[in-house]
Amino acid sequence: MLPELNCQARMRQLAPKERRWLSSASTIPLGFPASSRSFRARGVATRTGKLKIRAADADTGKVKTSDVPETAPSGSAVNQLLGIKGAAAETNKWKIRLQLTKPVTWAPLIWGVACGAAASGNFVWNVEDVAKAALCMFMSGPLLTGYTQTINDWYDREIDAINEPYRPIPSGAISEVEVIAQIWILLLGGLGAAYALDLWAGHDFPTILSLAVGGSFLSYIYSAPPLKLKQSGWIGNYALGSSYISLPWWSGQALFGTLTPDVIVLTLLYSTAGLGIAIVNDFKSIEGDRAMGLQSLPVAFGVDTAKWICAGTIDVTQLGVAAYLFAQGKTTYGLILLGLIAPQIFFQFQYLLKDPIKFDVKYQASSQPFFVFGLLCTALALSH
């Protein structure tokens, strides 16, 4: 948390490009609880009647913005639909809703379900098993990951007002009521799908529903106060990593087989690599995180140290898993995993370690496919 400061002292702490203030304006507060942070969000009534969020100084009440343009320059329609940086401005409400769910983040969860199904050793390529897997993937990806991303954007609206004020919520492209309705629909839809999967699998205990409830709660405390786990770089990033790797894997394996202690331990270990991947997303938010007092690892340790922590956790974790496979006599799978780690290290030097802020998207696009195939390799090793 940043201490409360008077306006002049606060101005001295801000980077030069943060020192632009809007003139006094008629604002409608969103009703956030008082806190010790120096900034809070304000809602500005636009001509269309929508709510536009801006960062405001908690002591003076003046509205603040950075030099980030309010409309994404040269925005891409594809980026908008995928929910990634560089999205084009959009007025279609359904496209905006899709953007909030960040479809690009569904893939790891969907893949995790596939890994769990493969690790069970019981998946069969027939209509019923494919339909079960498809519903589990829909639950993990569009529904519960969509819930996670939407609620994260909702509670990050103050930070986005600094980093990316043209995003749907801070720009007022979608209303408060619509965002909250989307959060509830996705959450209840995900839990309903989980319950249906338990019934379909004939579980005596609702294993998949329990995992869905646990993951949804973890998503909430990751984003929402008072815990807001993302304020702590280590805990928050590990929570995010486990949500993206362990939980979908466990769901897929529980759907077709039985979770075993060795699988639970190994996937939790793999979640440490997920911690490293989560750090990549923190580099683009340094300015807002610092202004809001969030101790992401790039803020706490600096960009240079954080990028090495990021690469180290990804590589050391996978090398540890490869060593485990060799120790279990699964030499072929261990060699394949090593072959998938090598290009990841190459792209780390090519992009991540060179400039993690400029090349974050290129790094993830080039490196993560090898990471997820490494997950599948490990899953197949466990099934034999």
Side-chain angles (χ1 to χ4, degrees):
M1 291 293 183
L2 293 172
E4 293 292 346
L5 302 170
N6 60 42
C7 183
Q8 291 182 346
R10 179 63 190 149
M11 287 290 287
R12 286 195 297 270
Q13 286 193 350
L14 293 174
K17 70 175 185 176
E18 294 181 290
R19 294 177 184 167
R20 297 195 327 159
W21 299 84
L22 294 178
S23 60
S24 58
S26 175
T27 59
I28 306 171
L30 285 175
F32 300 131
S35 71
S36 60
R37 290 182 290 200
S38 295
F39 295 98
R40 65 177 181 270
R42 292 276 188 169
V44 179
T46 66
R47 291 181 180 178
T48 61
K50 296 174 182 176
L51 203 59
K52 200 170 192 177
I53 299 172
R54 288 289 176 267
D57 184 88
D59 298 317
T60 66
K62 290 184 179 179
V63 181
K64 169 211 174 266
T65 186
S66 65
D67 358 358
V68 180
E70 294 192 8
T71 56
S74 303
S76 162
V78 174
N79 287 11
Q80 190 275 328
L81 292 176
L82 293 177
I84 60 178
K85 187 167 60 176
E90 183 57 65
T91 57
N92 183 288
K93 201 55 67 75
W94 288 106
K95 289 183 178 180
I96 292 171
R97 289 185 182 281
L98 183 63
Q99 181 181 357
L100 286 175
T101 66
K102 294 187 180 69
V104 73
T105 65
W106 301 350
L109 283 292
I110 292 171
W111 192 261
V113 171
C115 290
S120 73
N122 297 321
F123 178 82
V124 179
W125 285 99
N126 58 35
V127 173
E128 182 179 7
D129 280 7
V130 169
K132 282 182 183 177
L135 180 57
C136 194
M137 290 173 178
F138 185 68
M139 172 200 73
S140 300
L143 293 176
L144 293 183
T145 304
Y147 153 79
T148 298
Q149 296 296 344
T150 305
I151 199 171
N152 184 65
D153 265 20
W154 173 247
Y155 283 106
D156 270 2
R157 57 198 186 274
E158 302 175 54
I159 297 174
D160 287 343
I162 298 171
N163 291 323
E164 299 175 278
Y166 44 77
R167 286 191 58 79
I169 296 176
S171 70
I174 188 168
S175 71
E176 174 181 348
V177 172
E178 289 169 323
V179 175
I180 293 174
Q182 175 163 318
I183 290 170
W184 278 106
I185 290 169
L186 292 171
L187 173 60
L188 295 177
L191 297 181
Y195 181 67
L197 287 168
D198 279 318
L199 293 178
W200 199 348
H203 290 162
D204 294 327
F205 179 81
T207 307
I208 300 176
L209 177 59
S210 299
L211 291 172
V213 170
S216 301
F217 178 71
L218 186 62
S219 297
Y220 177 78
I221 63 175
Y222 173 81
S223 299
L227 294 178
K228 203 172 179 71
L229 297 180
K230 68 183 300 177
Q231 292 183 120
S232 171
W234 294 107
I235 298 174
N237 285 335
Y238 183 78
L240 190 62
S242 62
S243 296
Y244 271 70
I245 295 176
S246 297
L247 289 174
W249 182 313
W250 295 350
S251 296
Q253 185 153 353
L255 182 60
F256 294 101
T258 305
L259 281 176
T260 57
D262 60 325
V263 169
I264 292 174
V265 171
L266 195 62
T267 49
L268 287 174
L269 173 62
Y270 238 124
S271 295
T272 307
L275 180 154
I277 293 173
I279 297 172
V280 178
N281 295 319
D282 291 334
F283 288 110
K284 69 178 184 295
S285 303
I286 292 175
E287 180 183 330
D289 288 348
R290 185 180 291 118
M292 300 306 300
L294 300 183
Q295 289 299 303
S296 66
L297 294 184
V299 171
F301 294 100
V303 172
D304 287 339
T305 301
K307 69 185 183 184
W308 284 101
I309 294 174
C310 176
T313 52
I314 293 171
D315 297 341
V316 171
T317 297
Q318 293 182 94
L319 290 171
V321 172
Y324 171 81
L325 296 179
F326 282 119
Q328 294 296 310
K330 303 179 187 295
T331 305
T332 301
Y333 290 103
L335 289 172
I336 293 172
L337 183 56
L338 287 178
L340 291 168
I341 295 170
Q344 293 179 60
I345 295 175
F346 170 78
F347 286 119
Q348 285 168 0
F349 281 97
Q350 184 76 12
Y351 297 122
L352 178 68
L353 299 176
K354 186 178 294 184
D355 190 336
I357 299 174
K358 181 179 179 180
F359 297 123
D360 61 330
V361 174
K362 285 187 177 181
Y363 167 69
Q364 293 187 76
S366 57
S367 177
Q368 286 196 17
F370 296 98
F371 177 82
V372 297
F373 276 110
L375 279 173
L376 182 59
C377 172
T378 304
L380 292 171
L382 294 176
S383 70
H384 291 82

